Every structure is written in C-alpha cells, then in structure tokens.
Amino acid sequence: MTGLKLLVIVGFVIGGAALWAMPVFTADAAMTDRARKFINDHVARLRPLETSANLAWWYANVSGKDEDFERKESAQNKIDEALADASAFAELKSLKQAADKGEIADPVVARSVQLLYLQYLEKQVDPALLKKMVAKANAVEKAFNNYRAVVDGKEMTDSEVRRVLKESKNSARRRAVWEASKGVGGVVSADLRELVKLRNESARQLGFKNFHALQLFLNEQDGEALLHLFDELDALTAGPFRAAKSEIDARLAADCGVSVDELRPWHFHDPFFQESPAVFNADLDAPFAKADILDVCRRFYASIGLPIDDVIARSDLYEKKGKSPHAFCTDIDREGDVRVLANIVPNEYWAGTMLHEFGHSVYSSKNIPRSVPYQLRMEAHILTTEGIAMMFERFSKHRAFLERMGMTVPNPQQFDEAAAKAQRNQLLIFSRWCQVMLRFEKAMYENPDQDLNKLWWDLVEKYQLMRRAEGRNEPDYASKIHIVSAPVYYHNYMMGQLFASQLHHTIARQVLGGANPRRALYNDRPEVGAFLKEKVFAPGRLYDWNRLTELATGERLNPKAFADDFRGP
C-alpha cells in the first residue's frame, strides 16, 4: 500500500547467521520499493559497462598498445556518461535523503543507495570536463607503461633497475640508474599538473574546495580525522625510525664506500625508499633463487582454504615489452573473473608482491557470496583489501613459512635475525613514506602552481630523513604512478597496514589458539580462510570500513597492534 509506514527491526543474514540488526525505526514501504527499482535499473545499465571497462583496462595494461588504451578511454567515457545522468541523480538524491532519515526499511537497500549516491556524485560535472580528465589520465598512464629507464644506451626493466640499486657498489652507476628511473617524471609532469587542475575544477563544480577533499568524502573518510591519525603515527614512529635509519645508513655507507654524509637517494635499495634496504647479515633473496614463486602462492592459498588456481589461469605474470611494469589485481565482473598482472622474478620482493596480489584476489567476488547484491559485492573499502594483501605479504620474510613451503633457507639463524629486523624496519620505513605521499598530494591539490619539486623533497627530507641531491630540480614526484592512476589513495596503504596488524593479532588470538603474533603461521590452517570468509569477506561492502574492522577484530581501527609489530620483542 502506497505510503504505508512500518515499524521494523531488520538484519543482514549470510550463511544462516544475522550479522547485525538495526534498531526500530519508521520505514516507508513505498520508498523502499522505489529505491529497489532504482538499484535494479542502475545494475542493469552499469553492469555490462563496468565489465567492458575492466576488460579494456586489463588489456591496455597487458599490451601497452595505443588501440587498447583508446578502448579503455572509450569504455570509461561510457560509464561516466551513464553516471552523469542528471535525472537519475535527482532521484538518487531524494532516495539518499530518505535513507538518511531511516525511511528505507531494508539495510541492504539503504546502504546501496548511500554508496550509489557517492558514485554518481563524482560525475555530476560538465561532461566535456569528464572526458578531458579521462583522456589526460589515459595518456599519462600509457606513458608510464611504455617508459623504460635507459642507461648507456641500454633499456632497463623495472626489475633490472631494482637489481642495480640493490647490488651495485658503484655510486656513479647507482646514480645513473636511479636518475634514469626518475626520467618518467619529466615525461609526464606537465600533463600531470594539468590533470590535477582538471580534477580540482571538477571538485569545485561539486562544491568541494579541491579534488583531495572530494576523494576523501567519496571514500567515506574525514580529512581532519585522517590528519590526526597520521600525526599520531608520526609521533609514534619518528624516534624508532630515526634509530633504525641510523643503523641502515651506516651499513649502506660501508657497502658503497662513502661516508654517511655522502648518502643520497640512489644509495637506497628502491627508487623511493619505501622498502627496507637489504643491508643485514643474510641474503633474503637466497631462498627464492630457485623457487617457483607462483607455485608457492598456489599451494599456500590452497592450504588455508582459499585456492587461487582459477586466478592464476587468467593472469599475466611475467615481463614483456609494453606491459605495465607494476603489479595489480582486478575483479573483472564481480562474478569470479579475478586476474593478477605481475612481472615475476625470483627474489623476495616479488615473492612478497605475489602473496600481496593474490591476497587481493581472495578478497574479491571469488569469496564474497553471490547472495550479496552486485552493487555491494566488493571489498568494504580500499584499506581493508590492502590490509588483507599486506597481511599475507609479510610471510615472505618468515623463515618458518618458507621452510613449510619447501624452500631451503641458508644460515637459518642469520636469516631470522635479518628478516625480523627487515620486517620491523619495513613497517617503520613504509609508515614514513606514506606520510610523504599523503601530505604531498594534499598540498599539491591545494596549490598545484607551487614549486612541487621543492615540496616533494622538503617532505622526503622531513619524514624519510633522506637528503636530496644538490642542484637537482626535477619532477621526481611525478615518477610515482599512484599520483596519476590512483590519486588520493596512498594513505589507505598505511591504514591497511594498521588493519593488517590488527586482523593478524585477532587471528593469532582467536583462530590459532593464542599464538604469538610474531610466530603465528597460517600454513595448512583452513580455519584461517574460514575466519576471513565469515568475518571479512562475507559482508562485501554492506558496512563502512570502521564498522567492518570492529566486527572482524572487536575494535575500531587503531595503531596498537601495528606499534607492537614494529617495536620488536
């Protein structure tokens, strides 16, 4: 009956168990039906477009071909046009107001309306502007995929760059390779700056001060709370990081035959100092020299009840010309077509990367139940999927894990000492690196006309304690692909680290019988996969990230477990 008001208590049920119950409120049955119709119409229109766009994005990154990037751009434009529909947004806005007032009885429908509102809101700008942003982002991403460092006339892959930075003792050689790897920044910086201004223009059309503020709103995050969290992390990590870096600097300087004062960015072991340099007494790459990293991942995930054979079969995993030099996981259709792009070489870095990417793959429509509606059949948030991936990634530095996977670890005691230190340093180093990324992007979108080269290195020196090269004035910030293809995203990696620690400690306590989190392993423990399926994967995106964290771990997201992990025994 139209306009009928109902007093209801509702819950969301998966696998026979109610996950939560809403309090009693007054609901409008007609409004709920109206919302359901909108959602059904949306899914019918957008689902095929999203699948086509995901496939186009996949093939463009695999091939690097112009025609594939053109298809990718066209597919994204079709999605943008559908979401930009002003009449559909007007209806959705009305439905959201009803949901906010508790007038939509079904919590799944109400949550869907709230999330669809955010999805449509971003596209309520000038259609020509949307197309400009897509075209510019596409061009910059293509430039990244096709760029290779060239040193002494020889083109180098990303893995070759990393090998030189990790192994060479020659400072001049290291500098040449590092500078060549940064050369992509000069190629894309002008287009990136223009893209930033286009993004800001779109945000202002929607009533936001800039694109950074808009993206936080769209991702259900509060800017002030985020900065407060990162200030807290800064205070928590500054002292331990300074001590760790002092030891690292001494070892790097000795390895390269320079003084500590002479250390510069190219003396560190990755292009951004976002990873722990391999400067301790054991070679963490040694166990992987003859290992089949892909098979290790396959057997491990099968042993915890989260098999990935179908993902492997669809994936593209080794280096080739034109292909994106990075790694990612993508869910093509939310029906189980999940794929990983990678460029595997046999070392610890790529072992960790593959555990990470396949971690994303198991937190996807492979394991989110089909009973969860399409519009909610995805991870709760960027930070939760990154947290799952990071939790698994950490095992690449765990000797007992490697031995259980059949690998031989030379000098076990030395490996344990080096790996433990590398893991603790990694958490500290990554935390400081994320400070740079968050604060740089925020400042860049607030004022893209400022001296971004200087801003970048000011932040690097402040948070990473790494000295800039004298006289260098290049757009090194623009060599970080996330700033282009995943804007206002990087802080979620750090929040993901907090989630990873918090969830791992919960698993050690609740699933593994109170095991020490530093020694807790998941090998051959299918109950770990069952726990993740029930507590993390099953709800899809029904809950916001803080509620999901609370349901899975008993607490809202906080840095307590993370701090315990980097402080050591």
Side-chain angles (χ1 to χ4, degrees):
M1 183 182 298
T2 301
L4 177 65
K5 301 287 185 180
L6 303 172
L7 291 178
V8 294
I9 299 178
V10 291
F12 187 64
V13 179
I14 295 176
L19 295 183
W20 68 294
M22 291 182 66
V24 175
F25 57 73
T26 302
D28 186 324
M31 184 64 74
T32 303
D33 289 342
R34 185 174 139 194
R36 284 199 185 98
K37 181 180 185 308
F38 181 93
I39 293 165
N40 291 338
D41 290 346
H42 163 86
V43 171
R45 286 185 303 115
L46 269 294
R47 191 173 191 165
L49 297 180
E50 289 172 342
T51 299
S52 295
N54 291 337
L55 282 169
W57 189 76
W58 170 261
Y59 288 120
N61 279 282
V62 167
S63 76
K65 294 178 180 177
D66 289 348
E67 56 267 33
D68 286 330
F69 272 90
E70 289 168 5
R71 292 188 191 99
K72 171 178 172 288
E73 182 176 338
S74 175
Q76 185 59 54
N77 284 335
K78 289 177 182 177
I79 290 177
D80 289 350
E81 288 168 7
L83 295 176
D85 186 317
S87 60
F89 182 68
E91 170 69 354
L92 185 54
K93 190 174 181 179
S94 173
L95 293 171
K96 181 182 180 297
Q97 290 170 347
D100 290 345
K101 291 187 288 186
E103 294 177 357
I104 294 179
D106 188 330
V108 176
V109 174
R111 177 65 172 158
S112 299
V113 165
Q114 291 165 342
L115 292 174
L116 290 180
Y117 173 81
L118 296 174
Q119 188 178 359
Y120 277 73
L121 173 63
E122 186 178 14
K123 308 302 180 182
Q124 302 308 303
V125 298
D126 179 5
L129 177 58
L130 282 177
K131 289 185 177 180
K132 279 185 186 178
M133 288 194 296
V134 171
K136 188 63 66 176
N138 203 48
V140 179
E141 190 174 329
K142 183 168 66 173
F144 261 100
N145 281 8
N146 289 311
Y147 181 85
R148 297 293 184 272
V150 176
V151 181
D152 298 330
K154 180 181 180 297
E155 190 175 271
M156 302 180 71
T157 65
D158 186 65
S159 291
E160 289 170 335
V161 167
R162 288 177 175 275
R163 185 161 56 248
V164 170
L165 294 180
K166 191 169 186 178
E167 298 176 0
S168 175
K169 308 295 185 185
N170 184 317
S171 291
R173 171 69 172 165
R174 298 178 69 90
R175 179 172 187 168
V177 170
W178 181 85
E179 288 182 341
S181 76
K182 297 293 181 182
V184 68
V187 173
V188 305
S189 61
D191 281 345
L192 174 56
R193 194 183 292 260
E194 184 178 344
L195 179 59
V196 168
K197 292 180 178 181
L198 292 172
R199 287 170 171 168
N200 274 349
E201 183 181 344
S202 72
R204 286 192 291 269
Q205 288 187 11
L206 296 173
F208 292 83
K209 62 181 180 179
N210 58 49
F211 184 78
H212 194 275
L214 169 64
Q215 287 301 304
L216 292 181
F217 178 82
L218 295 176
N219 282 287
E220 301 184 284
Q221 292 174 328
D222 176 82
E224 289 187 13
L226 180 63
L227 282 179
H228 177 76
L229 173 63
F230 271 70
D231 287 343
E232 183 181 0
L233 287 168
D234 180 21
L236 192 66
T237 58
F241 173 74
R242 186 176 294 277
K245 186 170 182 297
S246 179
E247 182 181 10
I248 289 169
D249 284 354
R251 291 175 179 261
L252 286 173
D255 283 351
C256 294
V258 300
S259 69
V260 169
D261 288 343
E262 292 174 304
L263 288 175
R264 294 296 180 270
W266 48 84
H267 288 112
F268 295 79
H269 286 188
D270 73 88
F272 296 97
F273 187 35
Q274 65 184 76
E275 299 158 19
S276 180
V279 292
F280 298 102
N281 293 331
D283 179 5
L284 299 188
D285 288 336
F288 302 97
K290 297 181 180 179
D292 184 339
I293 289 173
L294 194 58
D295 185 59
V296 167
C297 292
R298 180 188 61 76
R299 289 186 290 113
F300 168 66
Y301 280 103
S303 81
I304 62 172
L306 301 173
I308 57 171
D309 301 77
D310 55 335
V311 177
I312 292 173
R314 298 186 190 97
S315 296
D316 194 299
L317 299 170
Y318 297 96
E319 290 177 328
K320 59 188 177 186
K321 191 174 180 62
K323 178 182 173 183
S324 171
H326 305 286
F328 61 76
C329 175
T330 185
D331 190 333
I332 298 294
D333 58 4
R334 303 188 207 173
E335 290 286 339
D337 183 351
V338 181
R339 309 177 185 192
V340 168
L341 179 145
N343 294 274
I344 300 173
V345 294
N347 58 32
E348 190 274 329
Y349 170 82
W350 274 103
T353 297
M354 297 318 299
L355 287 168
H356 180 110
E357 298 304 338
F358 286 123
H360 282 304
S361 81
V362 299
Y363 187 5
S364 68
S365 61
K366 272 180 56 60
N367 291 305
I368 299 173
R370 294 295 188 274
S371 58
V372 176
Y374 173 84
Q375 69 277 5
L376 298 178
R377 201 182 304 150
M378 63 185 82
E379 66 276 4
H381 195 271
I382 300 165
L383 74 87
T384 58
T385 184
E386 291 299 347
I388 291 291
M390 289 166 169
M391 185 176 73
F392 288 121
E393 176 184 348
R394 295 178 185 180
F395 286 120
S396 69
K397 293 182 176 71
H398 201 307
R399 176 173 63 89
F401 170 86
L402 303 182
E403 290 177 337
R404 288 196 187 185
M405 297 311 300
M407 285 180 271
T408 300
V409 179
N411 302 311
Q413 184 175 348
Q414 285 187 351
F415 185 94
D416 283 346
E417 292 172 357
K421 187 163 285 189
Q423 183 62 62
R424 291 195 296 271
N425 287 349
Q426 177 64 32
L427 296 178
L428 288 166
I429 288 166
F430 190 75
S431 171
R432 307 303 290 181
W433 161 241
C434 288
Q435 295 280 355
V436 173
M437 287 293 289
L438 169 68
R439 296 172 195 276
F440 176 80
E441 283 196 287
K442 181 177 184 296
M444 178 179 68
Y445 282 105
E446 287 173 346
N447 179 14
D449 289 321
Q450 66 182 296
D451 186 341
L452 296 176
N453 301 356
K454 181 178 184 300
L455 170 66
W456 176 260
W457 283 104
D458 286 348
L459 291 169
V460 166
E461 289 189 336
K462 178 177 180 179
Y463 290 103
Q464 294 183 282
L465 306 180
M466 187 165 62
R467 291 179 62 181
R468 73 190 81 193
E470 293 82 351
R472 183 174 176 81
N473 185 27
E474 299 295 333
D476 295 326
Y477 66 89
S479 65
K480 188 61 180 173
I481 191 171
H482 294 76
I483 293 175
V484 177
S485 61
V488 197
Y489 184 106
Y490 222 87
H491 63 278
N492 291 295
Y493 285 123
M494 187 62 243
M495 297 173 80
Q497 290 283 14
L498 303 187
F499 184 77
S501 289
Q502 197 165 321
L503 185 62
H504 175 66
H505 282 235
T506 301
I507 290 171
R509 184 173 60 252
Q510 295 185 8
V511 182
L512 303 179
N516 183 329
R518 292 190 186 86
R519 293 195 291 271
L521 294 177
Y522 302 167
N523 307 64
D524 302 310
R525 300 296 295 262
E527 59 267 40
V528 171
F531 176 88
L532 292 173
K533 283 183 179 180
E534 178 188 352
K535 298 293 187 179
V536 181
F537 304 165
R541 206 178 175 189
L542 178 64
Y543 310 121
D544 67 36
W545 56 270
N546 236 330
R547 180 63 176 147
L548 187 280
T549 304
E550 189 174 25
L551 289 168
T553 72
E555 296 181 280
R556 294 209 156 202
L557 192 70
N558 67 77
K560 288 187 295 185
F562 175 78
D564 185 57
D565 287 342
F566 76 67
R567 282 174 180 148

